[in-house]
Amino acid sequence: MTEKTFDVVVIGGGPAGYPAAIRAAQLGLSAACVDSWPAEGKNRAFGGTCLNVGCIPSKALLESSELYHRARHEFGRHGIGVGTLSVDIGAMQARKRGIVEQLTSGIEALFKSNGVTGIKGRGRLLKDRRVEVTGAGGTEVLQAKNVILATGSTPIELPFARFDGTHIVDSAGALAFDRAPGRLGIIGAGVIGLELGSVWRRLGSEVVLLEALDKLLPMVDEQVAKEAARQYKAQGLDIRLGAKVSATQVERGIVHVEYSQGGKTEKIDVERLIVCVGRRPLSADLVAPELGLKLDARGFIEVDSHCRTKVEGVYAVGDVVRGPMLAHKGTEEGVMVAELIAGHSAEVNYDAIPSVIYTAPEVAWVGRTEAEVRQTGKPYKVGTFGFGANARAKALEQAAGLVKIIADQKYDEILGVHIVGPMAGELVAEAVLAIEFEASAEDLQRTVHAHPTLSEALHEAALSADKRALHAINKA
Ligand code: NAD
């Protein structure tokens, strides 16, 4: 057994772990990043769920399916004829794999240029900050001054709908279908269910989403969630609320799904079933028990606001700790911890983390919803603006949705921004900056926005909070 020593060893090379290792190396620390992403197959070890089977491949397919949809339904309105339209899912998947391959190999290049040691294998934390790594070549032990746990999360499996890789699949399986299923069932109309449902709907599947809750997207501002639901319905997504799945059975290539709704037992048959009912942290057997590292009831590693665990020199970041399971939240935590280890002061502003649902249209938000602001009991004002009155959205043939800004009535501080509409995920960046800088509605009102752009909808929503909107003919 050999023993190498590092200032920082990161276990997990996803979007929380690999930036932590890079930042540590940039700050002059010796850093290693250990990851056990399946060595077989084409995927490389680093990048985690996000790059290999999550954010990146799903966005590649979202784009392809959206282009197909637009070619089918919108090109005619632009006066463009394309003859007989066809779709080649194999080519679509190959493009997706190419993007994943480029980005994952990019991490290895970044490690090289920053002097990070990438180690392929499964890491486990032992006493005295020793990290045992088990890989194809056997086991080695690294000695670390600091350890960052960044092992991420994995899809939750339901006991009555076990993944079989073909008929009942998780989100990764649903990104690898070789054709659009005739009828696709989805358990859970959360972020993943809606994103994947949109992809396969646009590629021709009949999509039924079974959601246990009575409300769609409860974490989204109600007005925005309602508008999103209206648009999903118009696209043909069959979202059944209050539908609790209780049993499934695969028979001759068909998945029989049983669920209860309104006190009645209902059944549907689907060709493929995606189960996306949330993810759980990957914290089991990660740390030797004698260290006494604390996990909460759901398996999240307990940390303080600076991602420090109770064990000296051991930190945890990303999906394996509390907070939203978002790649960018994990990245900022990883960077913060690397900076703290290097002796700098650093923090993450958890009040200014954007969320984006990558459906078409996108839903994006930052800060508090109107219901949350109402609960504080403090007076507030709301400005909304519909994309129906935005010139650029009209030119894009995407003039639906709205921007909503909530600001403190007395101090004018922007408390929340909620968007459903074209490029909402890009537009929200301005709102994140506004909240980060504690901007007022007036700050946004007095900021010049280029014309004609989608960003004018944010400007108008800010103006509307003080009843000054210039183009508010058409409220969404
Ligand atoms: P989720 O928590 O967003 O949604 C799961 C849904 O499943 C919930 O609405 C829940 O009520 C429902 N559900 C649970 N059990 C059910 C049952 N038996 N029958 C019917 N419905 C049931 O989880 P997800 O969509 O799996 O996503 C997992 C995590 O990954 C989330 O934290 C999400 O934020 C994150 N993620 C984010 C993005 C993004 O930011 N764009 C993309 C993908 C994933």
Side-chain angles (χ1 to χ4, degrees):
M1 234 185 236
T2 53
E3 202 158 299
K4 296 175 197 152
T5 301
F6 293 93
D7 293 321
V8 182
V9 171
V10 185
I11 304 181
Y18 82 78
I22 290 175
R23 188 71 189 122
Q26 284 173 347
L27 293 168
L29 302 170
S30 59
C33 185
V34 180
D35 197 302
S36 60
W37 194 267
E40 78 276 1
K42 275 198 175 166
N43 287 342
R44 296 178 187 255
F46 302 103
T49 299
C50 171
L51 263 77
N52 286 293
V53 292
C55 327
I56 303 306
S58 65
K59 259 85 269 173
L61 290 187
L62 277 164
E63 190 59 30
S64 300
S65 63
E66 178 63 11
L67 284 178
Y68 174 64
H69 174 85
R70 297 190 73 183
R72 247 178 106 186
H73 299 284
E74 271 177 34
F75 277 20
R77 264 177 273 160
H78 291 267
I80 302 170
V82 285
T84 313
L85 197 64
S86 67
V87 63
D88 178 347
I89 305 275
M92 221 176 249
Q93 293 286 16
R95 172 183 172 274
K96 177 201 83 176
R97 284 193 297 274
I99 293 170
V100 169
E101 180 66 19
Q102 273 173 28
L103 292 173
T104 47
S105 62
I107 297 177
E108 298 194 357
L110 288 172
F111 277 1
K112 215 170 161 194
S113 66
N114 284 284
V116 172
T117 305
I119 302 174
K120 296 176 189 181
R122 189 182 145 71
R124 188 164 176 271
L125 179 60
L126 310 176
K127 248 181 94 183
D128 301 325
R129 294 189 294 275
R130 285 150 55 86
V131 177
E132 178 191 73
V133 182
T134 309
T139 298
E140 66 173 327
V141 175
L142 313 174
Q143 178 65 58
K145 289 190 186 138
N146 301 275
V147 175
I148 305 175
L149 304 171
T151 43
S153 61
T154 193
I156 292 173
E157 195 167 10
L158 295 172
F160 47 82
R162 294 271 176 219
F163 301 131
D164 64 12
T166 310
H167 298 98
I168 304 182
V169 296
D170 61 8
S171 52
L175 286 169
F177 289 154
D178 54 7
R179 62 186 174 82
R183 194 176 205 207
L184 174 65
I186 300 180
I187 310 184
V191 179
I192 296 183
L194 289 167
E195 290 184 0
L196 290 174
S198 304
V199 166
W200 293 110
R201 172 75 199 131
R202 288 197 290 262
L203 293 174
S205 297
E206 185 193 331
V207 177
V208 183
L209 291 116
L210 301 171
E211 167 56 52
L213 298 178
D214 291 323
K215 197 174 168 187
L216 186 69
L217 299 174
M219 68 293 197
V220 176
D221 182 88
E222 202 167 343
Q223 189 180 358
V224 166
K226 271 192 186 149
E227 171 60 17
R230 193 187 65 77
Q231 295 202 38
Y232 297 149
K233 199 172 165 203
Q235 290 162 13
L237 287 179
D238 179 354
I239 304 173
R240 303 185 188 176
L241 298 175
K244 287 194 191 76
V245 178
S246 51
T248 63
Q249 200 188 353
V250 182
E251 231 175 20
R252 286 190 290 276
I254 297 293
V255 191
H256 307 291
V257 184
E258 201 175 286
Y259 65 97
S260 63
Q261 195 182 30
K264 279 198 241 153
T265 301
E266 308 279 355
K267 285 179 184 169
I268 52 162
D269 290 345
V270 295
E271 210 179 297
R272 294 278 188 277
L273 180 69
I274 310 173
V275 181
C276 37
V277 293
R279 300 177 61 87
R280 62 178 173 81
L282 276 171
S283 56
D285 198 29
L286 172 63
V287 176
E290 61 265 32
L291 264 79
L293 192 89
K294 281 196 155 179
L295 303 184
D296 72 10
R298 293 160 66 204
F300 290 100
I301 298 172
E302 288 194 357
V303 288
D304 67 11
S305 59
H306 287 89
C307 295
R308 283 183 279 247
T309 70
K310 286 267 162 35
V311 182
E312 170 112 42
V314 178
Y315 303 79
V317 297
D319 281 9
V320 82
V321 302
R322 83 283 174 269
M325 286 185 166
L326 299 172
H328 44 279
K329 171 262 194 188
T331 300
E332 294 310 322
E333 287 180 335
V335 168
M336 167 181 74
V337 166
E339 294 186 349
L340 291 173
I341 291 170
H344 297 262
S345 56
E347 52 190 296
V348 171
N349 181 359
Y350 287 97
D351 292 330
I353 297 179
S355 296
V356 183
I357 305 175
Y358 295 90
T359 44
E362 292 175 352
V363 180
W365 69 97
V366 61
R368 284 182 258 174
T369 62
E370 186 173 352
E372 286 165 347
V373 173
R374 196 182 303 124
Q375 260 185 358
T376 65
K378 290 191 187 146
Y380 64 91
K381 55 189 175 180
V382 173
T384 55
F385 190 78
F387 282 103
N390 176 276
R392 189 65 192 275
K394 283 228 180 284
L396 285 169
E397 200 65 46
Q398 291 178 45
L402 73 141
V403 177
K404 173 172 179 175
I405 292 184
I406 305 157
D408 187 276
Q409 181 67 54
K410 190 168 166 200
Y411 299 106
D412 201 33
E413 184 181 348
I414 295 173
L415 303 172
V417 177
H418 308 270
I419 311 170
V420 50
M423 307 299 274
E426 303 296 331
L427 292 174
V428 80
E430 178 179 352
V432 178
L433 200 65
I435 288 192
E436 181 71 39
F437 281 25
E438 297 175 9
S440 61
E442 187 182 353
D443 287 328
L444 264 197
Q445 291 166 0
R446 297 199 181 279
T447 301
V448 182
H449 290 71
H451 177 73
T453 62
L454 296 171
S455 72
E456 286 175 291
L458 260 105
H459 189 216
E460 290 277 6
L463 288 166
S464 147
D466 288 313
K467 305 198 171 30
R468 292 179 49 203
L470 297 170
H471 298 93
I473 318 155
N474 182 3
K475 291 220 168 176

